[in-house]
Amino acid sequence: MATNHRYIVFAVLIVFGVLFYVNIDHYLFNHDTSHFEVLQERNRLLDVVRSLGNANQLPKGKNKTNYSFDNAGIEEKHSDKFISESDPEIVVKHRVESTRKLCEEKQFPNFYSEFKFKDTGHMVVDEEHKFIFCYIPKVSCSSWKRVLGSLYNTHRNGQRHLNQYSPEEIKYRLKNYRRVMFVRDPITRFLSAFLHKFYTSKPHVIDIWERTYGHQIVEQFRPWMNLKSGQTSLNITVSEFIKYIVKLGEDYRIDPLRDHWLPMYRSCDPCKFQPDFIGHFENLEVEGPYLLKWLGVNDLVQYPEYHVSDAATKLVNSYALAEMGLMRALRTYYHRDYELFDYSANDTMRKVLFGE
């Protein structure tokens, strides 16, 4: 009886948390609400939930994914792990089919039809093995560039970016070569970009990003600050950066810096690129080597040793300082990425709020 009562109380608290999240987010996003006010309410709820036991515990036979943050215009999808945890061929095939189906059903508008940097600048062509790899910043792209560079060194037969070809040559390769891309949970990728550019151990990188974006952010969101020309050490917060990119919008013009935080489909639109292989960064340890085998080059190059990421811990710690309304705005900002690439926005928000 005590156990049943405990679960009833837990369920009521969950409902309260969802209602609280949905009903105040608009207020939080449009008003100057302090971090302290938001964290006080969130931590109060978390303290009560944790006092009842592990937040992951649910009554036997219940699926914790029933806990949902809806009303953001995002369709929730089943994760790859429920299809197959051991066969990457099945998982990748499912992703590709799911994305192609979604492209056909949604008919997503695309205003970038010219073959310029924004369409083909991220696509590397390997002529020897006849494939195109579309890399996306903050999705292990540096590692993949090294792998592709090593592969090129084995044959020295034409490896260059797709935008270096003529329009006719581009169309031919997009039609006849195998097409590959890797993606990542959108909100986790955004955090990676924020931390690695504004809080990296490389001062020159921080200077570039603070001069390029930091000054604009301070001018917009810290009107009381007397900003000097060339001033650095601005300590841009994650909340400020979220407000900045959401205000710019997902259709903002792309360049070699903005591609780090603009939605992934802007660097590599799967509805135009039509990939034959879509890998997930989170499964890189398995899907990296599998891709090389799928391409038939695993005897020539190897994917670097995979190191376990601490992204989950950074996700919770960093976003704990962001207003909940902003988190929902960020989720909406990346809505097309979540739909196209088979990620669960619910799972990400649950990790942010509860650290699951």
Side-chain angles (χ1 to χ4, degrees):
M1 180 65 71
T3 300
N4 290 336
H5 178 70
R6 174 181 171 180
Y7 288 136
I8 291 172
V9 173
F10 179 75
V12 170
L13 287 169
I14 290 296
V15 172
F16 170 78
V18 175
L19 291 174
F20 177 82
Y21 175 83
V22 170
N23 286 316
I24 72 166
D25 60 7
H26 179 75
Y27 178 84
L28 291 173
F29 184 62
N30 292 284
H31 295 76
D32 295 327
T33 306
S34 71
H35 289 193
F36 176 77
E37 289 178 278
V38 177
L39 289 174
Q40 186 180 45
E41 294 301 325
R42 180 189 295 178
N43 290 335
R44 185 180 302 158
L45 176 61
L46 289 177
D47 288 341
V48 175
V49 171
R50 286 165 181 160
S51 71
L52 293 175
N54 191 312
N56 287 319
Q57 282 188 320
L58 288 179
K60 187 176 181 180
K62 299 294 183 181
N63 187 336
K64 66 180 181 180
T65 58
N66 288 337
Y67 174 18
S68 174
F69 295 88
D70 291 329
N71 303 319
I74 302 173
E75 293 182 8
E76 195 58 36
K77 305 170 77 173
H78 294 291
S79 173
D80 295 329
K81 64 185 178 182
F82 296 115
I83 300 170
S84 172
E85 295 185 349
S86 59
D87 191 340
E89 181 179 3
I90 296 175
V91 171
V92 171
K93 183 178 179 181
H94 162 74
R95 282 194 209 122
V96 171
E97 291 177 349
S98 176
T99 298
R100 287 182 178 175
K101 182 180 179 181
L102 196 64
C103 287
E104 293 174 0
E105 292 177 350
K106 294 286 187 175
Q107 293 293 307
F108 286 120
N110 192 306
F111 307 104
Y112 305 93
S113 57
E114 297 179 14
F115 288 118
K116 294 183 179 179
F117 171 83
K118 53 183 170 282
D119 276 326
T120 60
H122 294 83
M123 301 178 187
V124 178
V125 181
D126 189 293
E127 293 289 355
E128 180 73 13
H129 302 96
K130 291 183 170 49
F131 71 83
I132 304 172
F133 190 106
C134 190
Y135 65 86
I136 298 174
K138 307 315 301 175
V139 187
S140 196
C141 69
S142 297
S143 295
W144 280 117
K145 288 178 182 177
R146 287 193 292 271
V147 170
L148 295 175
S150 298
L151 182 60
Y152 170 71
N153 289 332
T154 67
H155 56 71
R156 296 284 178 176
N157 180 24
Q159 188 179 93
R160 51 182 175 158
H161 284 81
L162 189 60
N163 62 357
Q164 295 176 302
Y165 293 85
S166 69
E168 292 74 20
E169 290 173 328
I170 290 174
K171 292 178 182 178
Y172 174 82
R173 282 157 179 77
L174 286 173
K175 181 178 179 181
N176 294 285
Y177 287 19
R178 285 179 291 180
R179 300 168 300 279
V180 176
M181 64 186 295
F182 265 78
V183 293
R184 184 178 188 176
D185 175 82
I187 289 179
T188 305
R189 172 177 169 265
F190 166 82
L191 178 64
S192 177
F194 171 75
L195 294 177
H196 290 173
K197 301 306 178 183
F198 287 107
Y199 291 90
T200 179
S201 59
K202 302 175 181 178
H204 70 282
V205 174
I206 298 177
D207 286 349
I208 292 173
W209 279 68
E210 287 197 335
R211 293 176 190 275
T212 306
Y213 302 115
H215 279 235
Q216 297 178 37
I217 291 172
V218 169
E219 289 172 358
Q220 291 184 42
F221 306 116
R222 301 181 198 171
W224 63 87
M225 186 172 176
N226 184 20
L227 187 64
K228 299 178 181 179
S229 177
Q231 183 176 340
T232 56
S233 301
L234 301 176
N235 296 317
I236 301 300
T237 69
V238 69
S239 291
E240 290 172 331
F241 198 46
I242 293 173
K243 290 178 182 178
Y244 176 74
I245 70 162
V246 168
K247 185 176 181 179
L248 289 178
E250 60 184 287
D251 290 329
Y252 198 63
R253 61 186 182 277
I254 195 169
D255 67 19
L257 287 183
R258 298 180 189 126
D259 60 4
H260 285 70
W261 47 263
L262 279 168
M264 292 180 287
Y265 80 86
R266 291 292 312 281
S267 292
C268 190
D269 186 342
C271 298
K272 294 179 63 178
F273 185 52
Q274 297 185 333
D276 304 298
F277 187 109
I278 302 176
H280 272 194
F281 173 88
E282 294 77 9
N283 302 327
L284 197 55
E285 184 176 13
V286 173
E287 295 177 11
Y290 172 68
L291 170 60
L292 298 180
K293 181 179 179 181
W294 184 78
L295 291 172
V297 298
N298 57 309
D299 58 332
L300 301 175
V301 291
Q302 302 294 318
Y303 192 80
E305 182 181 355
Y306 177 80
H307 299 285
V308 178
S309 172
D310 60 349
T313 301
K314 289 182 178 178
L315 187 74
V316 176
N317 293 342
S318 298
Y319 284 135
L321 297 177
E323 295 96 331
M324 286 186 287
L326 288 180
M327 290 307 304
R328 187 163 181 250
L330 188 63
R331 166 183 165 159
T332 302
Y333 178 80
Y334 288 115
H335 72 100
R336 195 188 296 192
D337 277 353
Y338 273 108
E339 287 187 86
L340 285 171
F341 300 122
D342 209 24
Y343 279 101
S344 168
N346 283 353
D347 285 349
T348 305
M349 295 305 297
R350 188 180 297 110
K351 290 175 184 175
V352 171
L353 290 173
F354 296 102
E356 292 184 10

